[in-house]
Coordinates of all heavy atoms in Angstrom, one line a residue:
L183 N 10.8 33.4 -34.3 CA 10.2 32.1 -34.2 C 10.0 31.7 -32.8 O 10.8 31.7 -32.0 CB 11.1 31.1 -35.0 CG 11.5 31.3 -36.5 CD1 12.5 30.3 -36.9 CD2 10.3 31.3 -37.3
N184 N 8.7 31.3 -32.5 CA 8.4 30.9 -31.2 C 7.4 29.7 -31.2 O 6.6 29.7 -32.1 CB 7.7 32.0 -30.4 CG 8.7 33.2 -30.1 OD1 9.6 33.1 -29.1 ND2 8.8 34.3 -30.9
G185 N 7.5 28.9 -30.3 CA 6.7 27.7 -30.3 C 6.7 26.9 -29.0 O 7.8 27.0 -28.3
I186 N 5.7 26.2 -28.7 CA 5.6 25.4 -27.5 C 5.4 23.9 -28.0 O 4.4 23.8 -28.8 CB 4.6 25.8 -26.5 CG1 5.0 27.2 -25.9 CG2 4.5 24.8 -25.3 CD1 4.0 27.7 -24.9
L187 N 6.1 23.0 -27.5 CA 5.9 21.6 -27.9 C 5.8 20.8 -26.6 O 6.6 20.8 -25.7 CB 6.9 21.1 -28.7 CG 6.9 19.6 -29.4 CD1 5.6 19.6 -30.3 CD2 8.1 19.2 -30.1
A188 N 4.8 19.7 -26.5 CA 4.7 19.0 -25.4 C 4.5 17.4 -25.8 O 3.9 17.2 -26.8 CB 3.4 19.4 -24.5
R189 N 5.1 16.6 -25.2 CA 5.1 15.2 -25.5 C 5.0 14.4 -24.0 O 5.6 14.8 -23.1 CB 6.3 14.7 -26.2 CG 6.2 15.2 -27.7 CD 5.1 14.5 -28.5 NE 5.1 14.8 -29.8 CZ 4.4 15.9 -30.3 NH1 3.7 16.7 -29.6 NH2 4.3 16.1 -31.6
T190 N 4.4 13.2 -24.1 CA 4.4 12.3 -23.0 C 5.0 10.9 -23.4 O 4.9 10.6 -24.5 CB 3.0 12.1 -22.5 OG1 2.2 11.6 -23.5 CG2 2.4 13.5 -22.0
K191 N 5.5 10.3 -22.4 CA 6.1 8.9 -22.6 C 5.9 8.1 -21.3 O 6.0 8.6 -20.2 CB 7.5 9.0 -22.9 CG 8.2 7.6 -23.2 CD 9.8 7.8 -23.5 CE 10.0 8.4 -24.9 NZ 11.4 8.5 -25.2
E192 N 5.7 6.8 -21.4 CA 5.5 5.9 -20.3 C 6.4 4.7 -20.5 O 6.5 4.2 -21.6 CB 4.1 5.6 -20.0 CG 3.9 4.7 -18.9 CD 2.4 4.4 -18.6 OE1 1.7 5.4 -18.2 OE2 2.0 3.3 -18.7
M193 N 7.0 4.2 -19.4 CA 7.8 2.9 -19.6 C 7.7 2.1 -18.2 O 7.4 2.8 -17.2 CB 9.2 3.1 -20.0 CG 10.1 3.7 -19.0 SD 11.8 3.8 -19.5 CE 12.7 4.3 -18.1
K194 N 7.9 0.9 -18.2 CA 7.9 0.1 -17.0 C 9.3 -0.6 -16.8 O 10.0 -1.0 -17.9 CB 6.8 -1.0 -17.2 CG 5.5 -0.4 -17.2 CD 4.4 -1.5 -17.3 CE 3.0 -0.9 -17.6 NZ 2.5 -0.1 -16.4
K195 N 9.7 -0.7 -15.6 CA 10.9 -1.3 -15.2 C 10.7 -2.2 -14.1 O 10.0 -1.9 -13.1 CB 12.0 -0.2 -14.9 CG 12.3 0.7 -16.0 CD 13.2 0.2 -17.0 CE 14.6 0.0 -16.6 NZ 15.7 -0.5 -17.6
V196 N 11.5 -3.3 -14.1 CA 11.5 -4.3 -12.9 C 12.7 -3.8 -12.0 O 13.8 -3.6 -12.6 CB 11.7 -5.7 -13.2 CG1 11.9 -6.5 -12.0 CG2 10.5 -6.2 -14.2
L197 N 12.5 -3.5 -10.7 CA 13.5 -2.9 -9.8 C 13.8 -3.8 -8.8 O 13.0 -4.7 -8.3 CB 12.9 -1.6 -9.2 CG 12.4 -0.6 -10.3 CD1 11.6 0.6 -9.6 CD2 13.6 0.0 -11.0
K198 N 14.9 -3.7 -8.0 CA 15.4 -4.4 -6.9 C 14.9 -3.7 -5.7 O 14.5 -4.4 -4.7 CB 16.9 -4.5 -6.9 CG 17.4 -5.4 -8.0 CD 19.0 -5.5 -7.9 CE 19.5 -6.4 -8.9 NZ 21.0 -6.5 -9.0
T199 N 15.0 -2.4 -5.6 CA 14.4 -1.7 -4.4 C 13.5 -0.5 -4.9 O 13.4 -0.2 -6.1 CB 15.5 -1.1 -3.6 OG1 16.3 -0.2 -4.4 CG2 16.4 -2.2 -3.2
Y200 N 12.7 0.1 -4.0 CA 11.8 1.2 -4.4 C 12.5 2.4 -4.9 O 12.1 3.0 -5.7 CB 10.9 1.4 -3.2 CG 9.9 0.4 -3.0 CD1 10.0 -0.6 -2.0 CD2 8.7 0.4 -3.9 CE1 9.1 -1.6 -1.8 CE2 7.7 -0.6 -3.6 CZ 7.9 -1.6 -2.6 OH 7.0 -2.5 -2.5
C201 N 13.6 2.8 -4.2 CA 14.2 4.1 -4.5 C 15.7 4.0 -4.1 O 16.3 4.6 -3.3 CB 13.6 5.2 -3.8 SG 14.1 6.9 -4.3
D202 N 16.4 3.2 -5.1 CA 17.8 3.3 -5.0 C 18.4 4.5 -5.8 O 18.0 4.6 -7.0 CB 18.3 2.0 -5.6 CG 20.0 2.0 -5.7 OD1 20.6 1.8 -4.6 OD2 20.5 2.2 -6.8
A203 N 19.0 5.5 -5.1 CA 19.4 6.7 -5.8 C 20.2 6.5 -7.1 O 20.0 7.2 -8.1 CB 20.1 7.6 -4.8
I204 N 21.3 5.6 -7.0 CA 22.1 5.4 -8.1 C 21.2 4.8 -9.3 O 21.4 5.4 -10.4 CB 23.3 4.5 -7.8 CG1 24.1 5.1 -6.7 CG2 24.0 4.1 -9.0 CD1 25.2 4.2 -6.2
N205 N 20.6 3.8 -9.1 CA 19.8 3.3 -10.2 C 18.7 4.1 -10.8 O 18.5 4.3 -11.9 CB 19.1 1.9 -9.6 CG 18.4 1.1 -10.8 OD1 19.0 1.0 -11.8 ND2 17.3 0.5 -10.4
Q206 N 18.0 4.9 -9.8 CA 16.9 5.7 -10.2 C 17.5 6.9 -11.1 O 16.9 7.5 -12.0 CB 16.1 6.3 -9.1 CG 15.3 5.2 -8.4 CD 14.0 4.8 -9.3 OE1 13.8 5.2 -10.4 NE2 13.4 3.8 -8.6
T207 N 18.7 7.4 -10.7 CA 19.3 8.6 -11.3 C 19.6 8.1 -12.8 O 19.3 8.9 -13.8 CB 20.6 9.0 -10.7 OG1 20.2 9.5 -9.4 CG2 21.3 10.1 -11.5
E208 N 20.0 6.9 -13.0 CA 20.4 6.4 -14.4 C 19.2 6.2 -15.2 O 19.0 6.7 -16.4 CB 21.1 5.1 -14.2 CG 21.5 4.4 -15.6 CD 22.2 3.1 -15.5 OE1 22.5 2.7 -14.4 OE2 22.2 2.4 -16.5
I209 N 18.1 5.7 -14.6 CA 16.7 5.5 -15.3 C 16.2 6.8 -15.7 O 15.8 7.1 -16.8 CB 15.8 4.7 -14.5 CG1 16.3 3.2 -14.3 CG2 14.5 4.6 -15.2 CD1 15.5 2.4 -13.3
I210 N 16.0 7.7 -14.7 CA 15.4 9.0 -14.9 C 16.2 9.9 -16.0 O 15.7 10.5 -16.8 CB 15.2 9.7 -13.6 CG1 14.1 8.9 -12.8 CG2 14.7 11.2 -13.9 CD1 14.1 9.4 -11.3
G211 N 17.5 10.0 -15.7 CA 18.4 10.8 -16.6 C 18.4 10.3 -18.0 O 18.2 11.1 -18.9
R212 N 18.4 8.9 -18.2 CA 18.3 8.4 -19.7 C 16.9 8.7 -20.3 O 16.8 9.1 -21.5 CB 18.5 6.9 -19.7 CG 18.7 6.4 -21.1 CD 19.0 4.8 -21.0 NE 20.2 4.6 -20.3 CZ 21.4 4.6 -20.9 NH1 21.5 5.0 -22.2 NH2 22.6 4.4 -20.2
M213 N 15.9 8.6 -19.5 CA 14.5 8.8 -20.0 C 14.3 10.3 -20.5 O 13.9 10.6 -21.6 CB 13.5 8.4 -19.0 CG 12.1 8.4 -19.5 SD 10.9 7.8 -18.3 CE 9.4 7.7 -19.2

């Protein structure tokens, strides 16, 4: 059995800073 599956998703978030490593890690990891 072999197969390829692709999906896209988009979401918006209000942020305090442009690239806070701790906050961005949580958002990206959960997504």
Side-chain angles (χ1 to χ4, degrees):
L183 302 175
N184 292 276
I186 297 176
L187 185 65
R189 287 291 184 271
T190 60
K191 180 185 287 187
E192 184 175 292
M193 73 173 187
K194 298 181 183 295
K195 298 281 287 187
V196 176
L197 307 166
K198 293 181 179 179
T199 61
Y200 286 100
C201 190
D202 176 78
I204 297 174
N205 188 39
Q206 292 290 359
T207 299
E208 181 180 348
I209 294 170
I210 294 168
R212 188 179 298 276
M213 192 174 184

